[in-house]
Structure formats: C-alpha cells, structure tokens
Amino acid sequence: SSPSALTVHYLVVAGGGGGGGNTNGYIAPGGGGAGGYRTTFGTGNVNGGGTALETAPTLLVSTNYAVSVGGGGTGGVASLNGTLGSNGSNSSFNGILSTGGGGGAAQINWPNQQAGSVGGSSGGSTADTSTSINGTPSITNPVQGFAGGGGNHVSPGYGSGGGGGASSVGVTGTNSTGGNGGAGYINLITGGAGAGYAGGGGGSTYRNNAGPQGTATHGGGGASPTQSNNIATVNTGGGGGGTNTTLGGPTTTGGSGGSGIVILRFPSSYGITLSAGLTGTTSTVGTDEVTVITAGTGTVSFT
C-alpha cells in the first residue's frame, strides 16, 4: 500500500504593497514593500529577511490543507489628506502565513512627512519640503523581509525611500534621487533557472525633472508621469513603484503591487488535487511534482 504521509516543500509569497502617488509635485512618494517571503527550498539563509530556511512539513494523504494567494496592493494618490499605497494581501499554506507588503507613503496634511506602512517588507517613506524621515521596520513575527527606506529632505530634489525587499532593505532617498527598492530572491523550486520574487518598489523624487527615480529588482520602479514601469509583475509579490508628477501637473497613481504565489514541491509518487476556487498547474521536475498556484482561496489534498 502507498505511504500515508509525504514531505512537501513550499514557497509562499504574499502580495506586494502599492506605491505612493502624487497630486501637486511637492512630495516624492515612496515605493511599496515586497510581500512576505517564506520557503523551505534552497540552501543557506535564504528565507525572507535573511533568516534560515523553514522546515518542510510532513503532511497526510487524503487530507485537505488550506491555501490562499494574496493580491497586490493598489497605488496611492496623494492629496492634502492623502492615502498611502494599500498593503498587499496575505498568502498562506497549511497555516504558513506570509504577510502582505506595506504600502508606500504618499502625503498627509502637507507639508508633514509620512512613513511607509508596515508589512512583510515595509513601504518606503515620503520626502518633501519639511524634514527627513526614517524608514519603517518590517514585521518580526516571523521575519519575512526588510524595512523600507527613509525619505530625505535635501534641497532641491527630495528623494523618497524604496520599499523593502525579501533580501535587503529599501534604500533611503538622496538629493534628487529616489531610493532603490530592496532586492528579492531567486528561488529554484520550479526547476531550471528559477524566478525572482519579493523585491521592493523604487522610490520617486520631488517633481518629475528633479532626478533619477529609484530602480527595483523584482519590483516596480519609481516613475514619473511619462513612465510605465511602476507596476510590479503579477505573481512575484513585488512592491509597486512610487510615482510623482510635475508641479501643478496631473494626479498620478502609484504603481500596484504584484500578486503573490504559492508553489508546492513533493515526490512524483504522489498526486495532488486543487479545490474549486484555486488556479494552478502541476508539472514534473526530475523526481518531483511541482504545483504552482497563482490565484484564489481553497484547499489542496494529496493522493
């Protein structure tokens, strides 16, 4: 008879946070933080936040295990009582919870600064014409990513912070330069060259002609109204880029965060069933099966 239990490796990435937006050109919205990154697959300290790999669980056949894939956060639009980019939504598998990335700061009660939101990795902070502000630490229970970058008040550029990533902090903005988003990780759980996940979004600058916008690895870049690279790629958990505008120019919305993903890897002597409500595919990689779940909420069971 078949064994009644099997070891299942996982990668669980939450949705990335949305970047901050702008309405008046006086501020530099921050980048969104990456979604939380938790995995059992790889070598060395490559879990989110540089922590040790988690232990792959032993699961029972013919038993339902809950799965949920979080969506990316929406970009914020700044005003005198502005909103941050929204946090990404959580992803989970069998009680393993990855927390959505924090939203990038926009503006609140100008000219006051605003910090990025807390998340799996946290969003970057704003920069404008008042004072500098520190970055926002990420959650610590458990650690899944890094802090967002701070906003820097240095005339005339005012650079905002990049969102934190799974493998490094978001960079604090400098004079006329938005901070880069923290890098994510490349995970090989699907075989081959693997793919990149959970990078923070880049920060922006004061007005679109003030200087370079922050760049991002595995997240959306900081952007001006003429750029379209501020949206993070779906199913990466990347943070959206902070987005600025010209003085008196059009309202701009921060880049949306990338949706999350759940990937399971287990011996090919077993099969898997996904319930209604989950979108996913299964393929054979060597002696294993790999199931990539890209959307939805439901359950999986092994046979």
Side-chain angles (χ1 to χ4, degrees):
S1 61
S2 298
S4 60
L6 69 160
T7 298
V8 179
H9 285 277
Y10 59 77
L11 171 65
V12 182
V13 180
N22 200 338
T23 56
N24 61 21
Y26 279 114
I27 64 166
Y37 178 100
R38 300 184 65 178
T39 188
T40 65
F41 197 88
T43 57
N45 294 331
V46 294
N47 203 41
T51 56
L53 285 172
E54 300 180 6
T55 301
T58 300
L59 304 180
L60 301 176
V61 300
S62 304
T63 301
N64 290 331
Y65 295 97
V67 176
S68 182
V69 178
T74 58
V77 176
S79 66
L80 292 182
N81 292 287
T83 59
L84 298 86
S86 68
N87 282 27
S89 298
N90 300 338
S91 293
S92 62
F93 164 64
N94 184 34
I96 304 300
L97 179 70
S98 283
T99 305
Q107 179 184 16
I108 185 167
N109 296 327
W110 183 86
N112 296 318
Q113 302 294 79
Q114 185 178 36
S117 291
V118 177
S121 288
S122 295
S125 300
T126 57
D128 67 12
T129 56
S130 55
T131 58
S132 299
I133 187 170
N134 295 328
T136 301
S138 64
I139 65 165
T140 57
N141 188 27
V143 174
Q144 302 171 26
F146 282 93
N152 199 350
H153 168 69
V154 180
S155 181
Y158 319 131
S160 69
S167 71
S168 64
V169 297
V171 176
T172 293
T174 60
N175 181 22
S176 299
T177 303
N180 294 341
Y185 282 117
I186 294 176
N187 194 291
L188 306 180
I189 193 169
T190 58
Y197 303 96
S204 63
T205 56
Y206 167 70
R207 308 185 189 179
N208 71 331
N209 59 353
Q213 317 304 324
T215 61
T217 303
H218 314 136
S224 73
T226 60
Q227 297 172 311
S228 58
N229 65 340
N230 61 341
I231 297 173
T233 304
V234 298
N235 297 130
T236 64
T243 309
N244 58 7
T245 188
T246 56
L247 180 63
T251 295
T252 57
T253 301
S256 56
S259 54
I261 197 167
V262 173
I263 302 176
L264 308 177
R265 182 163 175 158
F266 53 93
S268 56
S269 53
Y270 295 88
I272 189 171
T273 301
L274 277 61
S275 72
L278 292 177
T279 300
T281 58
T282 299
S283 59
T284 301
V285 179
T287 60
D288 290 336
E289 297 293 299
V290 176
T291 298
V292 179
I293 304 171
T294 55
T297 298
T299 61
V300 298
S301 62
F302 302 93
T303 56

